[in-house]
Amino acid sequence: MVKVIGLTGGIASGKSTVSSILKSLGAVIIDADVVSREIMIKGTETYNILVSVFGKEILRKDGEIDRRKLGNLVFADKEKLNKLNEITHPEIIKRIKDIIEEERKKGKEKAIVLDAALLIEMKLFNMVDEVWLVVVDKKTQIRRLMKRDNLSYKDALNRIKSQMSIEDKMKYADFIINNCKDFNAIKRQVELLWGRFSK
């Protein structure tokens, strides 16, 4: 049976870097963020529900959902964030389950990686064989997030606070990847973990 690794970490922790290293090593990546974009495409049922709940101000000029506008709206209001999750999470979970099944049927991979920031919050860890958690110190996390998404300190902090704490996530982790140093340091850690599947 092909193993499924759940890859998670706080926002701007370097999870995407780990995901790209794993891809270069031959892993099949299921990106929960890509799945979440797909279920929100104009014309889908989820799209229609989101527009009716949050209004047309979350739309871009071309009619598609502007994820940045939606993000700014929900990350400042816990009730709205809960509502967004209530609408989107069941659809995302269903789609991920289907993709895992499709990949497992092929049976060619050493392991499938489910890359999901909300792996634990959405209980996606129930679908995986082991959880890899990418960690970074708070100061570095804020700095990276402000730079990456062009956010103010306050907005960056709001996004971090809206997520489960790293301490709580650690309780679910089988392996912890420390991303406080440089790229080579994280690459070595990932290669060691991945090496277990290459034997």
Side-chain angles (χ1 to χ4, degrees):
M1 189 73 144
V2 177
K3 285 246 183 194
V4 182
I5 299 159
L7 175 66
T8 193
I11 192 165
S13 62
K15 184 177 59 62
S16 300
T17 303
V18 172
S19 188
S20 65
I21 294 166
L22 284 164
K23 192 174 183 181
S24 74
L25 293 170
V28 167
I29 310 288
I30 301 169
D31 188 334
D33 206 40
V34 170
V35 173
S36 115
R37 277 195 201 103
E38 286 170 356
I39 65 145
M40 287 189 200
I41 289 170
K42 191 177 176 179
T44 61
E45 194 184 340
T46 307
Y47 170 93
N48 294 333
I49 296 168
L50 289 172
V51 175
S52 71
V53 169
F54 296 109
K56 288 187 175 166
E57 61 267 26
I58 64 163
L59 299 179
R60 296 192 316 232
K61 283 197 178 87
D62 62 2
E64 291 289 352
I65 288 171
D66 185 322
R67 284 164 63 89
R68 193 183 170 99
K69 280 183 190 167
L70 181 61
N72 288 338
L73 186 72
V74 301
F75 286 118
D77 184 330
K78 205 157 179 56
E79 260 180 51
K80 284 178 180 167
L81 180 60
N82 289 339
K83 190 69 193 162
L84 173 69
N85 293 343
E86 210 179 281
I87 296 162
T88 57
H89 286 186
E91 277 304 307
I92 294 166
I93 292 164
K94 184 177 173 294
R95 181 76 192 109
I96 287 170
K97 266 185 186 163
D98 291 346
I99 300 169
I100 288 173
E101 280 314 303
E102 284 161 25
E103 290 299 338
R104 272 195 156 141
K105 275 177 195 161
K106 291 177 193 170
K108 292 172 189 167
E109 305 85 10
K110 291 188 181 88
I112 298 162
V113 175
L114 170 55
D115 174 348
L118 300 178
L119 186 89
I120 293 152
E121 295 90 326
M122 288 174 71
K123 301 200 166 26
L124 293 168
F125 60 84
N126 292 322
M127 291 186 208
V128 306
D129 300 300
E130 51 188 60
V131 173
W132 296 9
L133 174 67
V134 186
V135 300
V136 71
D137 63 273
K138 181 71 73 63
K139 210 168 151 186
T140 308
Q141 190 182 19
I142 293 168
R143 194 185 69 239
R144 283 181 187 161
L145 187 55
M146 286 170 71
K147 190 180 172 190
R148 188 191 77 185
D149 293 356
N150 197 19
L151 296 173
S152 67
Y153 180 85
K154 190 182 167 211
D155 283 343
L157 207 56
N158 274 344
R159 297 209 172 197
I160 290 166
K161 279 183 181 168
S162 77
Q163 293 192 336
M164 182 190 267
S165 75
I166 286 297
E167 291 72 27
D168 284 338
K169 287 187 179 191
M170 278 179 175
K171 295 170 192 167
Y172 295 84
D174 295 291
F175 298 98
I176 289 170
I177 298 164
N178 187 314
N179 189 22
C180 294
K181 292 183 183 167
D182 61 6
F183 177 77
N184 287 332
I186 198 167
K187 189 165 184 269
R188 276 195 300 275
Q189 292 173 73
V190 176
E191 284 171 345
L192 271 172
L193 286 174
W194 182 251
R196 295 155 50 244
F197 302 105
S198 307
K199 284 164 185 161

